[in-house]
Structure formats: C-alpha cells, structure tokens
C-alpha cells in the first residue's frame, strides 16, 4: 500500500501500515460475526439477554462502519468481506464465553490499531470503540453470571 498519514499528523509509518492491515482484518469477518450474534439472540433465555446482545450487535455494526471509513479515508479503497464458515457454539453459555473472549481480544487488537493512527479524531474514534468493547465484555460477564444463577 502507498498509504501515508495525513500531512502534518504525527505517527510512525510502520505502525500506521500495521494499523491499516489490522483494521482490514478486523472488518473482514463481519458476516460470520453477524451470524454469531443472530444465533446468540435466537437462543437467549429472556428479553433482557436478547436486548443486551442486540445492542452489542448494533454497536459492532457501527464499529465496522467506522473502521471501514477510516480505512477508506487513508487508502481510498473499500474493504472486501471474506466469507468464513459459521460454526454454531455447542450451547448458549459456550457462545457467551466465546463472545467474552472475543471482546477482550478485540481490546488488545484495537489498542494496537489506535497506537499506529495519527493523533486526533482517528485515535479518538478507536478509543470510543475500545471502551465499547470493554463495556460489551462486562455485559457478557453479566449474562454468563445470570445464566449460571
């Protein structure tokens, strides 16, 4: 890629390129994510759980759009989705555990993405996504606890 940060914005070029690559990877599996959330919603034991998972799914859709916009702003290219086979979890609880691990893993990845972006609005947007992921992890902990009670 021939991408470079906006003129006048400070950031490390190698970290910037890595951030763009990680953004692309983060967005490419979105169809699989969508099927996963739809599964969790369909097997959720009550309305409260369904509403929580739906709100997380809606946040994730918004995050994907933000990451797509950031990528396009720097590269001029759209990110193409990659179809991955959806593997249904063995149970609702296993799905919640997988979701929790996914949210915590995303925090680590998104922190790396944030570090490579130029200072300013792009880092702010990724920071907002990061805090959503932490909130989602808390919700999944709540749902796991609720399921065990």
């Amino acid at each position: 890629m021939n991408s470079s940060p906006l003129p006048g914005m400070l950031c490390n070029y190698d970290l910037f390129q890595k951030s763009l690559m990680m953004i692309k990877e983060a967005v490419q599996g979105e169809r699989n994510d969508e099927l996963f959330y739809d599964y969790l919603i369909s097997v959720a034991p009550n309305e409260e759980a369904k509403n929580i998972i739906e709100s997380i799914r809606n946040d994730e859709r918004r995050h994907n759009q933000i990451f797509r916009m950031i990528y396009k702003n720097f590269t001029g290219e759209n990110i193409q989705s990659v179809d991955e086979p959806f593997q249904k979890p063995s149970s609702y609880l296993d799905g919640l555990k997988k979701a929790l691990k996914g949210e915590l893993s995303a925090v680590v990845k998104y922190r790396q993405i944030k570090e490579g972006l130029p200072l300013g609005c792009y880092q702010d947007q990724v920071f907002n996504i990061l805090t959503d992921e932490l909130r989602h992890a808390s919700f999944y902990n709540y749902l796991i606890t609720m399921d065990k009670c």
Side-chain angles (χ1 to χ4, degrees):
M1 269 181 250
N2 251 348
S3 305
S4 60
L6 296 174
M9 298 186 112
L10 301 174
C11 75
N12 177 292
Y13 183 76
D14 290 335
L15 287 177
F16 173 70
Q17 289 300 316
K18 184 176 179 184
S19 289
L20 290 178
M21 180 190 69
M22 291 177 78
I23 287 171
K24 187 174 184 179
E25 291 170 358
V27 170
Q28 284 184 323
E30 70 183 297
R31 178 64 185 143
N32 192 315
D33 295 344
E34 194 77 27
L35 292 171
F36 178 70
Y37 287 117
D38 288 345
Y39 164 78
L40 285 179
I41 292 165
S42 74
V43 297
N46 56 51
E47 276 308 303
E48 180 185 18
K50 287 180 189 212
N51 290 337
I52 289 170
I53 298 166
E54 284 176 352
S55 91
I56 291 171
R57 181 200 56 202
N58 294 342
D59 284 348
E60 296 297 345
R61 285 177 176 164
R62 186 174 43 79
H63 298 166
N64 276 322
Q65 291 305 311
I66 291 168
F67 277 138
R68 285 178 177 280
M69 180 267 311
I70 291 171
Y71 187 86
K72 183 159 183 155
N73 284 352
F74 285 114
T75 68
E77 301 171 5
N78 291 315
I79 298 174
Q80 301 302 314
S81 292
V82 175
D83 282 335
E84 301 170 353
F86 171 66
Q87 292 188 344
K88 184 169 77 169
S90 58
S91 69
Y92 172 67
L93 183 58
D94 283 344
L96 292 178
K97 290 176 182 177
K98 178 182 175 186
L100 174 60
K101 289 176 185 175
E103 296 296 326
L104 295 173
S105 175
V107 169
V108 173
K109 289 178 195 170
Y110 297 168
R111 195 171 55 209
Q112 290 176 322
I113 289 171
K114 180 183 173 296
E115 288 173 3
L117 293 176
L119 295 174
C121 68
Y122 296 108
Q123 281 197 359
D124 292 346
Q125 288 174 320
V126 176
F127 179 78
N128 289 338
I129 291 172
L130 260 164
T131 57
D132 281 348
E133 298 299 314
L134 291 170
R135 190 172 51 84
H136 297 165
S138 294
F139 276 133
Y140 282 124
N141 272 321
Y142 170 72
L143 292 173
I144 290 167
T145 303
M146 184 170 66
D147 187 68
K148 289 185 176 187
C149 290

